[in-house]
Each structure stands twice: as structure tokens, then as C-alpha cells.
Amino acid sequence: MKRFLFSTFAALMLTATGMQAADGTVPHRKVYGYFNYNGVIADGSYGFGSFYLDELDKAEIIYPYGDEKSIYAGACVDDMFYAYEYEYNPIAGAQNGSFISYNVASGRYTALGTEGLEQMGASFKPQDMTYDYNANVMYAVGFSQGESAIYEVNLTNGIMTKKVTLQTTVGVIAADYDGTVYAVGANDGVLYRVNMDDGSLEKVVETGFGGLMYNQTMEFDHSTGKLYWAANSYDYDGAREAYMLCIDVHSDEVAIENLGKIGSGATFMAMYIPFAEGGDDAPAAPSDLTVVPGTNGARSASLSWTLPETTFGGEVLTNGLTGIVIERNGEVIATLPGYATEYDDESVTEDGEYEYVVYATNALGNGGKARVFSFIGNDMPDKVGNIRFTVGDACASAILSWTAPTKGFNGGYFSEDGLTYRIVRMPDNKTVAEGLTETTFTDTSIGRLGRYTYVIYACNAYGETAADASEAYVLGDALDLPVTQDFSNLSYFENQWMAYDGNDDKYSWNYSSEWGYYQFGDATPCAEYIINPGIDNPGNDADEWLVTPPLAFDAKKQYCMKLTVRCTTDETLKLTVGNNNVMTGHEEFGEIILKPVVDDDKYGISEYEVNLPAGIDGVKCIGLHLASPYPAEGFSYLQIMNVTIDEGQATGMSSAVTDNAGRTDDNNVYTLDGRLVRTDGSLDGLAKGVYVKGGRKYVVK
């Protein structure tokens, strides 16, 4: 996964002196956040993780991410993380993704929508976030159109509204419990106090960590009021490591302690430090909190817990407990004596998921909070499993199968009585079946050619749960010949052709990227496959497929396929035919070796023709299977600009391309009808027209 530089950050060549914390001053406080990388984590995995402030080298991942996405920034509110994701494309770079939530207590991840980053534009990337518990507002900081600004974040959809423009560019922000916002200058490394009315900055202290590199994070421990910053700075060590700094911003003389490296080469964001409102001398959180829902869907719950014996700060609890408070979905439903260890909730009125919070109090205030999520009452079905999407012959039907859910979606009471299924075809949003009791369905009502997928809903009297088929296929009525695809309309291509990453290495065809302009000097629409040392790729041999839409053939006619291509090295293109557009059912019928055409050190465009198998009949799909070995020089570039399938025989070029027998001498020049006109390779003085030499076409004007 790529790390991200703040493009607006300047790196200054200064020297900073490291500061070590005194023995015994580092609390054994758990910290949560998101690792984009940490060399101490097994297998280099990344995602939401945790560690202790006094054990910075012992991090673990609690919610891993896959290889294709990560986050720009995030922050947590009472155990609920919110973050902006990106999807990483090895050719196009970071592509803005969803605003998400991740609940530490329940382990649930939810995508909340893409509107937030979409309305900010593709170039905007949030740098850090923080939650103001005083104003109950989430803030994000980012750089856009020459200014650094703080934005208010809508936690339901991620939409950002500018709060204030800042005097200078900052990289990280954090709000203390009273609502004062602090920020660090991206270039100077100065810790500032932010005026949220006019964006002015009041200097607090010079940290010695200027030249911020990569997205990072800063957050308060609201139990102690101390500020923690996972700093990655060019000025300090060339941005090789992330260091945990502890800053006492509320002391008369602001002190900074460097607690050491966070793991190895770590990139850390979205820091969250659970806290007690009453401070370190308030009680620790109750342990072993359990919630047992009522049986058979009854709207009740039995709670039990173990009382804390230490303070939130880890010392022996000497101030006795004055009470136990129980909250349900943020509202206090009971205040019990300090010795209570159980409670029966009989006041639930609706089926649903509820968050129970239990905490103890003493003379210092509210202690740490224990949280449990539990579904009370009757639950809707869980998602169906093992969805299989099979394309029928001629791409005219879709056969779906799945396994029935066996539990409630939210973990509540579930019975299979009354379970049915509803199937919706997308993107036309057409309900093609409902009230189904079987776990199979065949859709034969497709008609218009397009790329379709399906959503299968499991339904009962208490709701329905959607499960998306992972595949999308081109389905529908076959096209009449001739067919031409010039790739100038990506929507047209996506709704008629199928592309496959045959070796599943997440590196395959791209469409009309900016790289074509840099390589060839133009931006001709095309399907392209690029190997370049400057673009991350797995180093595998190509196994990439392009498959045509369903085409209606007549066995009495002969058909020819014409390709317009441009390449920098030899490329192996295998030709296949199948009853539908799924590559695994295709049979190979030919092979073309695409050759580069070089003229005045520029790569030119060439055309190839090949006959399709004789007697091809009915609805079929033709496959173009790129099977080139990985280039020895680590560089290759293929563009397919046009594919045409029509009636007729391939010209003389067909023989030159598919079988060079009798024409292997690169100096022999032939007309398209096969007449030898030159043996010295020269085209000078020839009449205007198209000629073949060495298996390639040349145009004399």
C-alpha cells in the first residue's frame, strides 16, 4: 500500500534533538488507531489496531484491511471510528472512496457513502480528524485550492462543510475536552492553538518536528488532558520513523516528551485513547459485561458485570464506588447502588439493536465505560451466502443460486418460518422475483444488452437483508454483425464487453490512461496493458482477457476480425470462441504475435486481420487473450484501439500475421494480394497503397 505525501508540505533541513521520557512516567494506556504500515506487525498487515503507550513496539491489528484500499484520515467518538477511505490503483494512484464507520465494541464496519469526498473533488484528501466532545462536532483538516482549512463533518454521510480557513498550512489537529483545537504547522512543526472563529493561530511551542511527511494523527487523552502526537517528520530523522510525542499543553511551561518509535517504519492515523470523564482517579471500567436477550424474541435483557477494583489510571481504588449507571442508546435507564452487579431491563418497546453502557462513579466522577451491543427481540434474516452467478448460453440468461441464512442479521432471535427471497436486477433496479422459497432462480427476462448484477434479499416479517452478487456480467440480446469497437465511449464498452484478470493478480487492462500521451504523444482511446518500472506491478506473465458481446453468426458466412494496435514489444494474443462471455468456457482457435512498428524512433499503429473459424453459427463470443511473457527489460506497452468483426476473408495480411510461411524475410515487400514487389526492404518509389513487409502493414502515401 502506498504512503501518501502531503503535496503542499515543504521539508526543511533542520536538526532536532530527541527527548526521552523519564522512567515510570508513561501510563499503561491503551491506544487505538489505523496503521497504514508497521514493520512489527506480522506479514506487514494493516488496518485498525491497538497498542499501549508504554509498549509502542507491540501493536496488533484488530480489523484488517485488504490490499486495495486504506484510509486518508479518521477519528473516534466513544469507541466508534469514522474515516475517509481511498482505493489504490497502481496506474491511476489513490482514488477517493467511502466515508466509513468501524465500531470497536461490536466489530461492525459500515460504508456510509461516497458523497463526502465526491463533493470536495478528486484532488482533496483529508489529512487528519478530531472530535470535539464539548461541541459534539467532528472536524477534518485538509488543503484545497491553495488554502488549509478545518471542516465540520456530517457523521451520517461524511459531507464536509468549511468551518474556518487557517492562517498557515497545518497537518494534524486535536480538540481537548473543553473544545480548544490545536494544530501543528506542516512546515515549521510549531504547535498552535486555533481560533475557530477567524482561523488565526497562537503559538504554543516549537516541537522540533517540522516538515511533516505522510498522513499522521494527534489526539488528547481526556483523562489526563495531555496531548499525544504520532509524529512523522522530515526535520527530525528524514521521516524514517513515527514517534509518539506527549505534550502537556495545559502546564505553565509546556513540556514535550518523546516516548519513542511506534513500531518500525510505521504510518499511523486516527488515534483514539479511551478515557474516563472523572479522570485517572475515577473508577476503571466494569469488566465482564454481558447482555443476555430475552428468549424467543422477548423484548427484555439481563445484564451482569464485575465491579472495578482499580482506578482508571491503574492504581488501587481507594475512593469507594458511589453508584453504577446504566445507559441504553445514550440514555440513562438506571442508577444503581455502588455494589450492584446485575440488572434486568424490562423497558424495551421495539425490536432492535441496543448499545448498553455501564460505568461506576465515585467522588471524582464518572469512571471508564464498558460497552456491549445486543439485539433485543425478533431479528430479520442474515444475508444469504455462497451466491453463485452463472451466465447462460448466448448470454441470454442468468442462473443464480445461494444458501439460506441460519441466523439473524444482528445476532438476534431468528426463525426460518416465513423466510422468502426477493431478487432485484441492477442497474435497471427491476424486481425479477419475490416471495421465492427456493434458493435458485433463472432470469430469462433480460432483453437489452448491458452489464448486470443482482441483489438477493432474505425477507421475513421483521425486515429484509440484501446480499450483492460479487460478479457483474454483460447479458442480453446478441448484436448483429458487423460490430466495431473503437473504445472512444467507455460506457459503451463496459456495457457490451467483458474484461478478466485471468491470473487474479489485480493488474490487468486499463482504459485510455494518461500514460499513452507520455509514451506515444497522443491520447488515442484504447484498451491498454502497461508494464513500466514506474508503475507497481506484480511481475507476472500476462493473462488478461477481453471478450466481445454476444454476436449472431451465420454458419453459411465467413467472418473476419480486424485489430488496430500499437505496441512497444512483441505481444502474444490468443484468439478464442465460446458460447457466452465467460472466459473459462472458451476454446482457442488461433494466435497473433503483435509486432512493434518503429518509424523515426516513434511507435506506429498497425493493423491485423484474421479469419474466424469456418462454420461458426449461432450466438457466440470472441475472446482476445493476452498471454505475453513478462518483458525481460521490465517495460512494455500494448494498446488495442479498434476491433471489427464483419463478413469476409482476411486479406493477404491475414497470412502474414497468422502464418509467415514463405514470407519470413523482413526485406521482402508484398502487395495485399500477395505479389512480391521488392526484396531489399525499401518502400521508396512504390505507388500509393498498402504493402506488407515482415508481417506488418505499411502505407505509402
Side-chain angles (χ1 to χ4, degrees):
M1 184 58 59
K2 288 292 187 184
R3 293 179 170 185
F4 278 92
L5 300 177
F6 295 141
S7 60
T8 59
F9 289 3
L12 306 179
M13 291 299 293
L14 301 177
T15 302
T17 302
M19 297 156 286
Q20 297 300 319
D23 291 343
T25 63
V26 182
H28 187 64
R29 182 83 85 239
K30 196 163 193 176
V31 176
Y32 294 90
Y34 184 95
F35 283 103
N36 209 28
Y37 179 79
N38 190 344
V40 305
I41 300 174
D43 301 324
S45 59
Y46 55 96
F48 288 102
S50 65
F51 58 90
Y52 288 91
L53 286 174
D54 58 344
E55 297 178 343
L56 299 176
D57 60 345
K58 296 181 180 179
E60 64 176 356
I61 296 297
I62 59 176
Y63 187 88
Y65 265 52
D67 291 336
E68 297 180 357
K69 65 181 179 179
S70 189
I71 73 168
Y72 292 126
C76 198
V77 186
D78 292 332
D79 286 357
M80 179 74 82
F81 276 101
Y82 296 91
Y84 290 98
E85 291 181 339
Y86 65 83
E87 295 183 3
Y88 183 71
N89 181 295
I91 295 176
Q95 306 296 301
N96 291 341
S98 294
F99 183 63
I100 65 97
S101 67
Y102 165 65
N103 192 301
V104 176
S106 68
R108 179 169 296 173
Y109 166 99
T110 305
L112 301 174
T114 60
E115 302 97 319
L117 291 177
E118 286 175 351
Q119 57 100 20
M120 297 300 294
S123 63
F124 181 87
K125 296 171 175 56
Q127 296 164 325
D128 192 24
M129 295 167 61
T130 190
Y131 188 74
D132 179 355
Y133 282 91
N134 185 63
N136 295 320
V137 174
M138 179 73 80
Y139 293 121
V141 64
F143 188 90
S144 179
Q145 298 182 348
E147 67 177 25
S148 185
I150 293 177
Y151 301 81
E152 292 188 12
V153 178
N154 184 320
L155 295 184
T156 61
N157 55 23
I159 290 178
M160 285 175 267
T161 304
K162 186 187 293 183
K163 172 68 175 177
V164 65
T165 299
L166 302 174
Q167 283 183 340
T168 190
T169 301
V170 305
V172 286
I173 57 173
D176 68 13
Y177 203 67
D178 295 327
T180 301
V181 176
Y182 293 80
V184 176
N187 297 314
D188 57 23
V190 172
L191 177 67
Y192 295 102
R193 192 175 289 111
V194 180
N195 185 318
M196 294 295 285
D197 293 323
D198 61 12
S200 60
L201 302 173
E202 176 189 355
K203 180 178 177 180
V204 177
V205 66
E206 293 186 6
T207 67
F209 281 74
L212 273 61
M213 302 289 281
Y214 315 124
N215 283 26
Q216 46 197 276
T217 182
M218 185 168 70
E219 198 56 79
F220 278 91
D221 178 352
H222 295 303
S223 295
T224 63
K226 290 186 177 181
L227 177 64
Y228 290 86
W229 173 23
N232 191 294
S233 160
Y234 188 89
D235 291 356
Y236 188 72
D237 69 345
R240 290 186 294 273
E241 300 287 350
Y243 296 87
M244 183 64 77
L245 305 185
C246 177
I247 308 174
D248 191 351
V249 299
H250 298 118
S251 64
D252 294 335
E253 294 185 6
V254 177
I256 303 177
E257 292 181 328
N258 184 343
L259 306 184
K261 295 188 301 183
I262 302 172
S264 173
T267 304
F268 185 58
M269 290 99 76
M271 181 159 51
Y272 168 56
I273 306 174
F275 62 93
E277 296 169 356
D280 268 4
D281 292 329
S287 58
D288 304 321
L289 174 61
T290 60
V291 177
V292 179
T295 59
N296 298 327
R299 292 173 179 168
S300 62
S302 297
L303 287 70
S304 63
W305 58 88
T306 300
L307 296 174
E309 297 180 350
T310 62
T311 66
F312 190 81
E315 304 296 329
V316 175
L317 185 63
T318 57
N319 286 289
L321 302 181
T322 57
I324 300 293
V325 180
I326 300 175
E327 296 180 358
R328 187 183 65 216
N329 285 4
E331 295 185 3
V332 175
I333 60 171
T335 299
L336 309 175
Y339 55 79
T341 59
E342 57 185 30
Y343 175 74
D344 290 329
D345 181 10
E346 303 287 349
S347 61
V348 179
T349 59
E350 295 181 356
D351 299 331
E353 185 177 56
Y354 294 91
E355 178 191 32
Y356 286 94
V357 176
V358 178
Y359 56 92
T361 63
N362 67 3
L364 282 303
N366 297 338
K369 297 180 178 180
R371 304 175 189 273
V372 168
F373 285 78
S374 183
F375 193 92
I376 310 300
N378 287 282
D379 202 355
M380 60 187 181
D382 196 9
K383 294 181 179 181
V384 303
N386 302 316
I387 298 177
R388 184 174 181 182
F389 185 163
T390 303
V391 178
D393 284 349
C395 305
S397 63
I399 303 98
L400 302 170
S401 63
W402 60 91
T403 56
T406 58
K407 60 182 181 179
F409 176 73
N410 301 288
Y413 178 74
F414 168 72
S415 171
E416 294 183 3
D417 293 340
L419 177 64
T420 63
Y421 306 99
R422 182 167 67 93
I423 301 178
V424 177
R425 187 177 64 218
M426 303 297 290
D428 53 346
N429 198 30
K430 179 179 176 60
T431 298
V432 294
E434 55 187 336
L436 287 175
T437 56
E438 301 84 6
T439 56
T440 61
F441 176 74
T442 300
D443 180 16
T444 59
S445 65
I446 300 164
R448 181 178 179 179
L449 191 65
R451 184 178 296 269
Y452 296 98
T453 189
Y454 291 84
V455 183
I456 302 176
Y457 292 84
C459 313
N460 68 7
Y462 306 101
E464 59 181 29
T465 304
D468 297 326
S470 59
E471 302 98 341
Y473 289 102
V474 171
L475 305 167
D477 295 337
L479 298 179
D480 293 326
L481 296 171
V483 163
T484 294
Q485 171 63 58
D486 63 6
F487 303 101
S488 60
N489 187 322
L490 181 57
S491 176
Y492 171 88
F493 175 81
E494 289 181 337
N495 283 285
Q496 295 195 353
W497 288 62
M498 289 295 298
Y500 295 99
D501 177 9
N503 53 13
D504 197 28
D505 61 2
K506 307 299 188 292
Y507 196 85
S508 192
W509 295 103
N510 194 65
Y511 303 97
S512 301
S513 74
E514 62 182 10
W515 289 84
Y517 178 82
Y518 296 113
Q519 176 63 48
F520 301 114
D522 60 58
T524 302
C526 62
E528 57 189 5
Y529 186 74
I530 309 169
I531 300 296
N532 188 293
I535 304 174
D536 285 348
N537 65 80
N540 295 330
D541 294 345
D543 184 8
E544 323 306 329
W545 292 70
L546 294 174
V547 183
T548 70
L551 306 173
F553 291 95
D554 183 343
K556 299 177 182 178
K557 299 177 180 179
Q558 175 63 48
Y559 297 93
C560 170
M561 181 166 61
K562 302 177 183 179
L563 304 174
T564 303
V565 305
R566 177 164 52 187
C567 56
T568 62
T569 60
D570 288 3
E571 301 282 359
T572 301
L573 194 66
K574 298 179 181 294
L575 308 175
T576 67
V577 61
N579 291 328
N580 57 30
N581 54 15
V582 181
M583 66 175 190
T584 53
H586 274 227
E587 295 182 359
E588 184 178 334
F589 68 83
E591 178 180 293
I592 303 175
I593 304 299
L594 307 177
K595 297 281 187 178
V597 175
V598 182
D599 184 16
D600 294 332
D601 295 327
K602 293 184 178 180
Y603 292 99
I605 297 171
S606 56
E607 295 182 350
Y608 294 81
E609 298 183 9
V610 62
N611 290 323
L612 299 188
I616 187 170
D617 191 32
V619 176
K620 304 291 183 183
C621 296
I622 305 301
L624 307 178
H625 179 202
L626 181 64
S628 303
Y630 190 81
E633 301 299 323
F635 173 83
S636 66
Y637 203 144
L638 167 65
Q639 293 184 329
I640 298 180
M641 301 167 175
N642 187 285
V643 178
T644 296
I645 299 177
D646 197 0
E647 294 180 39
Q649 292 279 346
T651 66
M653 189 62 187
S654 172
S655 298
V657 172
T658 59
D659 181 3
N660 282 323
R663 301 188 183 190
T664 58
D665 188 343
D666 287 347
N667 288 321
N668 288 346
V669 180
Y670 298 86
T671 62
L672 285 180
D673 60 6
R675 290 183 295 111
L676 177 65
V677 294
R678 290 279 175 85
T679 58
D680 60 0
S682 174
L683 301 176
D684 295 340
L686 289 176
K688 293 181 180 180
V690 180
Y691 298 87
V692 178
K693 181 177 71 169
R696 308 175 200 156
K697 275 185 179 179
Y698 293 86
V699 179
V700 176
K701 298 181 180 179

